[in-house]
Amino acid sequence: MAYKESKTEGRSQRTGKSAGKSGQRSGYRPVDKSAGAKDEDRYSIGAVRGKAAEKRSRMEADREETDGGAVIEGRNAVMEAFRAGRPVDRLYILDGCHDGPVLSIKREAQKHSAMIKFVEKERLDQMSETGKHQGVIAVAAAYEYSTVEDMLRAARDRQEQPFLILLDNIEDPHNLGAIIRTANLAGAHGVIIPKNRAVGLTATVARTSAGALNYTPVAKVTNLAKTIEDLKQEGLWFVCADMGGTSMYRLDLKGPIGLVIGSEGEGVGRLVKEKCDMTASIPMKGNIDSLNASVAAGVLAYEIVRQRL
């Protein structure tokens, strides 16, 4: 659904007011009015502070991405983690490093659908707990992933029509946790997320799910559009949440179904949307035209429950 997401970006601003007779003030260097002076020289303190803020932002992002997951460092340790079948959400590799052992680790990561990121040494150093990362750090998921086949088997065992929730570009762990909680209460047989541009099963996701993650399986797939095509062969129909779609009350949402939810900012991606059979909109009467992704997932999931009952 093409929900809107309000994001506030922190920006440091200066008023540029006169500093008085001295022409100076704390944390400010007088302007060099010579012809060769550069703008960045005029506010050197501000530039330093801006770089420090950017570094803090990167460190916070690293902490969020490793939230609740085990940090595995070193080439041998990471390779053994993959071989042992440990669920790895992200693999960080030193940018420009392409020797044999690293390429072998990369192949294992691709085989296990782990997200791969090439980063600078400084970032690896910030994430490292031992200081001996050897250019490779993996972050293991806080919970085990399931498979789509397990979800379909669970539906058959319960003698129920399959009901799956597929998420496209959901990167906020609070949204993912809330959707897993809704999926459990609405009787969905599982939640499917893509390996790229999506949050994994972090501790924050587990906390926000209020325990539902222990009962509702989550599968991570390489290609969401391909997964939809495969599930259509199993008899599922797919409805995509979209503001420009048909009112959910006018759609037949009974039977084996997959509900596709996108992020607030971008909605469901074009390729995924094209694979869906229907688009559903939620009637809205207020002054704003957007819903949080997890709230929209709840509204649509319970319309499916209502029609099934």
Side-chain angles (χ1 to χ4, degrees), residues 57-109:
S57 177
R58 286 201 306 270
M59 292 178 68
E60 289 171 0
D62 293 337
R63 280 196 295 272
E64 183 173 322
E65 290 185 346
T66 60
D67 175 28
V71 176
I72 306 167
E73 305 180 35
R75 299 181 178 188
N76 289 336
V78 171
M79 178 60 86
E80 288 306 317
F82 279 119
R83 287 174 175 168
R86 195 163 181 185
V88 173
D89 267 336
R90 289 175 172 82
L91 174 67
Y92 296 86
I93 298 176
L94 178 64
D95 194 16
C97 185
H98 302 293
D99 58 25
V102 170
L103 290 177
S104 297
I105 292 171
K106 181 182 174 184
R107 282 193 293 271
E108 285 295 318

Side-chain angles (χ1 to χ4, degrees), residues 255-297:
I257 196 163
L259 171 60
V260 185
I261 301 290
S263 67
E264 290 99 321
E266 301 177 11
V268 177
R270 180 182 59 83
L271 292 177
V272 173
K273 187 186 297 185
E274 287 176 353
K275 299 295 181 182
C276 294
D277 304 290
M278 301 171 279
T279 55
S281 64
I282 300 172
M284 289 179 280
K285 303 293 185 182
N287 296 322
I288 59 174
D289 60 357
S290 62
L291 279 173
N292 174 274
S294 61
V295 174

Side-chain angles (χ1 to χ4, degrees), residues 182-202:
T182 295
N184 178 264
L185 293 171
H189 299 102
V191 175
I192 301 174
I193 61 175
K195 77 170 186 177
N196 292 318
R197 298 187 64 188
V199 65
L201 297 183
T202 67

Side-chain angles (χ1 to χ4, degrees), residues 215-236:
Y215 306 101
T216 301
V218 177
K220 184 168 63 171
V221 299
T222 302
N223 189 315
L224 208 57
K226 177 67 166 56
T227 299
I228 291 175
E229 285 185 348
D230 293 341
L231 285 170
K232 283 184 176 182
Q233 300 301 314
E234 299 289 335
L236 273 76

Side-chain angles (χ1 to χ4, degrees), residues 62 71 73 91-95 97 117-138:
D62 293 337
V71 176
E73 305 180 35
L91 174 67
Y92 296 86
I93 298 176
L94 178 64
D95 194 16
C97 185
K117 290 188 175 183
F118 293 93
V119 297
E120 299 296 327
K121 183 178 182 296
E122 181 186 16
R123 189 170 182 192
L124 289 174
D125 291 342
Q126 290 169 356
M127 297 174 64
S128 175
E129 297 175 355
T130 67
K132 300 176 181 178
H133 53 72
Q134 299 177 302
V136 178
I137 290 179

